[in-house]
Amino acid sequence: GQNLTAAGLARHDPSTFRLRRTRIILSGQVFNDFGFYLEPELASGSQGTRLEEGWGSYTYAPWAKVTVGQYKPRFGLEMLTSARDLDFAERAVISRALSPEQQLGATVEGNLKLATMPVYYGVGIYNGCGRVDQCAIDNDGKKEFTGRVAVSPPMPFGTLTIGLNADHRTFRIVRGNGATDANTVTRVVGGFENFNPVGPTNVRLAGNGVGGTQDGFRINGDRVTGGGDVVFDFYPFVIKGEYAYASQERDKLGAGGSNLDHLIMQGGYGTIGYWIFGTKRNGLLANARYEHVRIDDNSGGFHKALGTVEQPMELRSGTVGLAWYINPSVRLRGNYIITDLAQKQNIVGMSNSTGGNAHQGIAELQVQF
């Protein structure tokens, strides 16, 4: 109908070429114990050049390293994987939605051994409102806390790594200002925050408020997130998976300023890869991924925030692809993605959307030198 047509035009997802990343990395070690890292992003469009990561570190021992600056908090398998080392062109929806991206803060981390089993730990405190260009100061007065533990138990064949993650952060309006998530998942709407996950081609999956579609989910308060991940590498196969669960407060968003039930955001993905030949130095990897994400409350009947058209959101998506590592400096990745999304009207305007499904393709050339 006319409303859905308007929504589709407003959120049109065009077929286009784009320069996704252009970065110059400067890193080094001083006196063995001190390190530094600078990574500006030169292809950030109208935003101009920005600082992607910039930090300094001091290593007291293998089990005690302190890092201060702007970087990714230690949470989640895929978010902590560099873009140049991803198996797919884009990270999974749940990773982009719940795993924090670059933040200003401090981390203590290290590598230990439990008997003969390697153990990694990392704990940190951060502003919780994104990169320095997104929040020059902590504009909500609250801090974000994250923790990660990963173990690699001995295996009869292959290598297994199991990770556990935890995060506590706040999205609460203070003095009329709200925190902005680094991956643009949240936005200030009507004086409150708005949670709205994005798909692989950066379309907001919970609508955009045009043509009768909803415009994400209003949130206000603390969010607690936990999850786990696993990697089982037994050449030529690689199996990976990740799950995250978050409970988000919705304070003063109901009738008469009452609190709504907590918003529950949960989901995960599983991938399997097969090396047709070679390795990441020179090889061809075939891979597939399945994702499932659901956003609802835990009351048994969804209660929307006042002045919204909120409805529970559920996404199922499958991706197949090839990653060709031509040499250590040149890589080519291609993915085909099919997405099933409810509410169905929120998929209107995405590439090749028919009958509630969207069919999309991404090809990416990566050059490093």
Side-chain angles (χ1 to χ4, degrees), residues 183-199:
N183 54 17
T184 68
V185 168
T186 59
R187 297 175 294 117
V188 175
V189 176
F192 291 98
E193 295 293 342
N194 192 2
F195 175 80
N196 198 342
V198 295

Side-chain angles (χ1 to χ4, degrees), residues 8 11-15 201-203 349-352 360:
R11 59 193 276 115
H12 179 57
D13 181 19
S15 174
T201 52
N202 293 315
V203 171
M350 293 176 64
S351 295
N352 299 312
Q360 300 170 295

Side-chain angles (χ1 to χ4, degrees), residues 131-143:
R131 301 184 309 266
V132 66
D133 58 290
Q134 294 172 310
C135 62
I137 60 172
D138 188 349
N139 56 7
D140 66 358
K142 302 289 185 178
K143 292 294 181 283

Side-chain angles (χ1 to χ4, degrees), residues 4 7 11 212-214 311 341 343-349:
L4 290 184
R11 59 193 276 115
T213 65
Q214 70 183 73
Q311 299 180 66
L341 183 67
Q343 299 294 319
K344 296 296 185 184
Q345 64 265 32
N346 289 343
I347 210 166
V348 175

Side-chain angles (χ1 to χ4, degrees), residues 40-217:
E41 172 58 74
L42 308 179
S44 51
S46 59
Q47 301 175 8
T49 301
R50 68 166 189 251
L51 179 66
E52 191 71 12
E53 290 200 13
W55 48 262
S57 67
Y58 169 68
T59 302
Y60 174 75
W63 50 268
K65 176 182 177 182
V66 178
T67 303
V68 179
Q70 177 173 289
Y71 51 91
K72 291 180 181 178
R74 306 316 190 223
F75 184 102
L77 170 67
E78 201 172 52
M79 188 55 71
L80 288 174
T81 301
S82 170
R84 56 184 174 269
D85 292 323
L86 293 172
D87 295 331
F88 299 89
E90 294 287 354
R91 293 180 174 88
V93 171
I94 196 66
S95 295
R96 302 178 72 185
L98 295 182
S99 296
E101 288 203 48
Q102 284 82 0
Q103 304 280 353
L104 278 168
T107 297
V108 178
E109 60 190 329
N111 294 286
L112 308 167
K113 278 200 173 182
L114 184 60
T116 61
M117 181 174 65
V119 177
Y120 164 84
Y121 79 93
V123 293
I125 178 172
Y126 313 92
N127 279 342
C129 56
R131 301 184 309 266
V132 66
D133 58 290
Q134 294 172 310
C135 62
I137 60 172
D138 188 349
N139 56 7
D140 66 358
K142 302 289 185 178
K143 292 294 181 283
E144 178 176 6
F145 302 90
T146 67
R148 175 173 172 81
V149 175
V151 298
S152 299
M155 299 292 293
F157 63 92
T159 57
L160 175 67
T161 302
I162 301 171
L164 297 174
N165 309 286
D167 176 71
H168 182 281
R169 65 194 308 185
T170 302
F171 299 92
R172 191 182 299 278
I173 301 304
V174 177
R175 297 184 299 278
N177 296 317
T180 302
D181 204 337
N183 54 17
T184 68
V185 168
T186 59
R187 297 175 294 117
V188 175
V189 176
F192 291 98
E193 295 293 342
N194 192 2
F195 175 80
N196 198 342
V198 295
T201 52
N202 293 315
V203 171
R204 282 179 273 150
L205 297 171
N208 63 347
V210 177
T213 65
Q214 70 183 73
D215 194 11
F217 300 86

